[in-house]
């Protein structure tokens, strides 16, 4: 099969490799689409602390079941359209023993520590494979993983009906965080984002988008929240100005969720946290339950048609163009998600 192999940092080679052999608790998936993630860029550059080479990257993928034990997994017959939750937990550490397997001390991911979805086939533990309904297009299904991130982020925030929500950073993850916040009952979702093309997409989804380079965000927030500040602020940019604005624009007793990776020692306005009694929480990946619920939510969104989910995808590339796609993301030129297309998709 064809696979894009990260042979060493900053080098991806298209190789012919054997189709993975599966054990009885595994499922072989023929990939139809795979999303390129910010963390793939991180891995490519060699900046991920635990990533290994050589590896086939890619942890956001959708496809069809090619092979699985139908005695053990009768719902995974050949051809079934599926997505998969890509976490690999050790099952033995303190976090795993307490049932928090998604924050396992030795957490590994398909596509970072073992072979992932930038190949024609991927093998996945069968228990992690989730069938999808036909209401969901292949391209929308490829967004299940980032949506699961957003689903967990919103659960960490405990978003309530009527909340006014600020998303700092409107890249691909920020956009889905905002959509899930709205689905979770938020009355208003405001984005701050520097890239005007991204702001245009954000506004096309019916959200308010503010460019901090051209608009006084403090004044805007004041007016948007009747002077109270936002109930929930999602810091998705990972930038220093973003972090400082997150605590500043959050209301008294509000919640700030840290999602973006800000580098090693960012500055935080601790006095905001103390004086306003802010709840500042982290968010890491998702649970298997989150992932399953996310698929149902995406199916519901697809049926409602309230958001054109495919508009979150700004570019489509072939597997041969993966490295070029990563370079595009390094230059920050992509408006939304870049998908790798394996040329197998259903007609839409
Ligand atoms: Zn991802
Ligand atoms: Zn563990």
């Amino acid at each position: 099969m064809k696979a894009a192999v990260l042979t060493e940092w900053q080098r991806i080679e298209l190789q012919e490799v054997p189709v993975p052999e599966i054990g009885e608790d595994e499922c072989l998936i023929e990939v139809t689409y795979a999303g390129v993630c910010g963390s793939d860029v991180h891995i490519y550059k060699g900046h991920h602390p635990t990533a290994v080479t050589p590896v086939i990257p890619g942890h956001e993928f959708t496809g069809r079941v090619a092979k699985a034990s139908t005695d053990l997994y009768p719902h995974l017959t050949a051809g079934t359209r599926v997505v998969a939750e890509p976490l690999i937990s050790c099952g033995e550490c303190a976090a795993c023993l307490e049932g928090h397997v998604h924050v396992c001390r030795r957490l590994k991911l398909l596509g970072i520590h073992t072979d992932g979805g930038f190949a024609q086939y991927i093998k996945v533990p069968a228990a992690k494979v989730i069938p999808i309904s036909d209401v969901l297009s292949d391209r929308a299904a490829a967004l299940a993983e980032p949506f699961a991130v957003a689903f967990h982020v919103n659960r960490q925030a405990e978003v309530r009906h009527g909340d006014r929500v600020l998303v700092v950073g409107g890249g691909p993850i920020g956009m889905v965080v905002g959509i899930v916040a709205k689905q979770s009952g938020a009355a208003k979702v405001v984005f701050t984002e520097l890239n005007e093309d991204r702001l245009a997409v954000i506004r096309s989804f019916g959200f308010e988008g503010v460019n901090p380079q051209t608009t006084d965000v403090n004044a805007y927030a004041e007016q948007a929240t009747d002077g109270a500040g936002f109930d929930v602020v999602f810091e998705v940019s990972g930038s220093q100005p973003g972090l400082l604005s997150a605590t500043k624009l959050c209301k008294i007793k509000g919640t700030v969720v840290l999602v973006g990776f800000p580098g090693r020692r960012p500055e935080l306005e601790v006095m905001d946290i103390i004086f306003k009694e802010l709840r500042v929480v982290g968010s890491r990946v998702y649970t298997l339950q989150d992932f399953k619920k996310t698929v149902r939510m995406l199916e519901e969104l697809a049926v409602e048609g309230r958001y054109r989910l495919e508009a979150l995808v700004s570019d489509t590339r072939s597997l041969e163009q993966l490295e070029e796609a990563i370079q595009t993301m390094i230059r920050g030129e992509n408006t939304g998600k870049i998908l790798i297309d394996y040329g197998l998709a259903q007609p839409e």
Side-chain angles (χ1 to χ4, degrees):
M1 67 171 183
K2 266 196 303 184
V5 183
L6 182 69
T7 51
E8 56 186 294
W9 309 130
Q10 298 179 49
R11 187 181 170 86
I12 290 175
E13 275 178 30
L14 198 73
Q15 293 182 355
E16 193 61 37
V17 303
V19 174
E21 302 264 345
I22 60 163
E24 69 169 9
D25 284 323
E26 289 174 324
C27 174
L28 187 70
I29 298 171
E30 185 179 26
V31 182
T32 50
Y33 281 100
V36 189
C37 177
S39 57
D40 294 322
V41 173
H42 211 56
I43 296 157
Y44 174 80
K45 286 180 173 170
H47 294 174
H48 191 288
T50 60
V52 294
T53 58
V55 74
I56 300 170
H59 56 272
E60 305 179 2
F61 52 88
T62 185
R64 306 191 271 246
V65 173
K67 204 197 284 180
S69 161
T70 38
D71 289 344
L72 293 170
Y73 304 97
H75 60 297
L76 298 181
T77 50
T80 305
R81 297 172 64 237
V82 293
V83 293
E85 185 259 285
L87 307 186
I88 307 160
S89 308
C90 76
E92 292 165 359
C93 72
C96 282
L97 291 176
E98 286 183 15
H100 307 302
V101 295
H102 71 293
V103 281
C104 168
R105 286 176 76 165
R106 293 184 281 271
L107 185 70
K108 292 186 164 59
L109 260 86
L110 293 173
I112 299 179
H113 306 93
T114 66
D115 286 342
F118 291 137
Q120 286 179 290
Y121 293 90
I122 178 174
K123 78 168 176 183
V124 175
K128 305 271 192 170
V129 178
I130 305 160
I132 56 173
S133 128
D134 284 340
V135 300
L136 208 56
S137 70
D138 286 332
R139 292 168 73 86
L143 302 172
E145 197 271 353
F147 264 98
V149 169
F151 189 95
H152 189 70
V153 163
N154 272 272
R155 206 154 64 78
Q156 290 294 87
E158 296 174 13
V159 171
R160 293 195 177 91
H161 276 271
D163 275 355
R164 290 159 172 156
V165 168
L166 175 68
V167 182
V168 179
I173 286 289
M175 287 186 207
V176 291
V177 165
I179 291 173
V180 179
K182 193 73 192 157
Q183 286 304 102
S184 308
K188 184 196 276 279
V189 180
V190 178
F191 284 77
T192 56
E193 168 59 44
L194 302 173
N195 179 319
E196 284 295 332
D197 294 333
R198 287 179 175 174
L199 283 169
V201 177
I202 286 162
R203 291 180 190 128
S204 78
F205 282 135
F207 299 122
E208 294 175 38
V210 184
N211 187 337
Q213 282 170 327
T214 53
T215 306
D216 178 346
V217 175
N218 296 329
Y220 191 97
E222 193 61 28
Q223 159 265 314
T225 64
D226 305 318
F230 290 94
D231 299 284
V232 172
V233 180
F234 296 107
E235 205 309 298
V236 192
S237 75
S239 71
Q240 184 60 68
L243 270 170
L244 294 176
S245 70
T247 52
K248 184 174 173 99
L249 301 176
C250 191
K251 77 166 195 187
I252 291 165
K253 291 290 215 178
T255 300
V256 175
V257 186
L258 302 179
V259 185
F261 293 170
R264 291 210 68 80
R265 293 267 171 85
E267 278 178 35
L268 266 182
E269 193 53 84
V270 178
M271 293 310 279
D272 277 346
I273 301 172
I274 296 172
F275 277 129
K276 294 199 278 188
E277 287 201 346
L278 299 182
R279 200 168 68 91
V280 180
V281 294
S283 185
R284 189 173 177 198
V285 287
Y286 31 71
T287 65
L288 180 57
Q289 203 53 36
D290 288 334
F291 213 107
K292 288 179 174 171
K293 286 187 180 178
T294 299
V295 169
R296 280 180 235 145
M297 184 194 65
L298 273 175
E299 290 169 351
E300 208 177 277
L301 281 171
V303 171
E304 278 177 12
R306 187 154 139 203
Y307 303 102
R308 215 162 49 79
L309 295 174
E310 288 81 359
L312 293 165
V313 178
S314 59
D315 303 87
T316 307
R317 297 274 187 277
S318 67
L319 191 57
E320 288 79 0
Q321 295 168 315
L322 174 63
E323 191 158 19
E324 183 212 314
I326 289 176
Q327 296 293 352
T328 304
M329 289 173 71
I330 291 173
R331 293 192 300 272
E333 288 170 5
N334 59 310
T335 314
K337 176 63 74 182
I338 303 181
L339 286 190
I340 301 299
D341 182 351
Y342 293 74
L344 296 169
Q346 61 192 18
E348 276 165 27

